[in-house]
Amino acid sequence: ARSIETLKNGCAAAGRDPGSLGFRASVIPTDDWQAAVSTRELFERVLRNCEKLAAAGVTHFSIPQNYFRLELGDLADLLALLRAA
């Protein structure tokens, strides 16, 4: 979060719109996520993590499908959930 704020401040100081910056993060499963007992629980844990990252200034998320081992239908459901958040 500190580096995002630093970059935004640098833009403002240079006379550029800090709102034009975007920040990407890869959503990588954690041990906590591996303990999820259902796809729905996994999705809830992913969503909570993404909400924290968004609050820190992340604007775009990469979801590496191979890390999650989800079927395409489940991946579509996860992306829809994240898009709605």
Side-chain angles (χ1 to χ4, degrees), residues 4-85:
I4 290 174
E5 195 60 37
T6 298
L7 288 169
K8 286 183 175 184
N9 290 340
C11 269
R16 300 184 70 182
D17 176 15
S20 67
L21 291 174
F23 299 93
R24 179 177 305 275
S26 290
V27 179
I28 299 171
T30 65
D31 289 340
D32 179 49
W33 298 358
Q34 302 300 328
V37 295
S38 69
T39 301
R40 184 71 198 164
E41 185 179 354
L42 170 67
F43 289 3
E44 290 169 1
R45 291 174 186 211
V46 170
L47 182 59
R48 280 194 305 265
N49 188 282
C50 288
E51 287 170 339
K52 289 177 188 175
L53 290 169
V58 174
T59 57
H60 299 82
F61 297 93
S62 295
I63 310 290
Q65 193 260 347
N66 60 320
Y67 288 175
F68 287 90
R69 297 186 184 107
L70 294 173
E71 298 295 325
L72 287 179
D74 290 333
L75 180 61
D77 291 344
L78 174 60
L79 294 175
L81 177 70
L82 292 172
R83 210 174 293 121

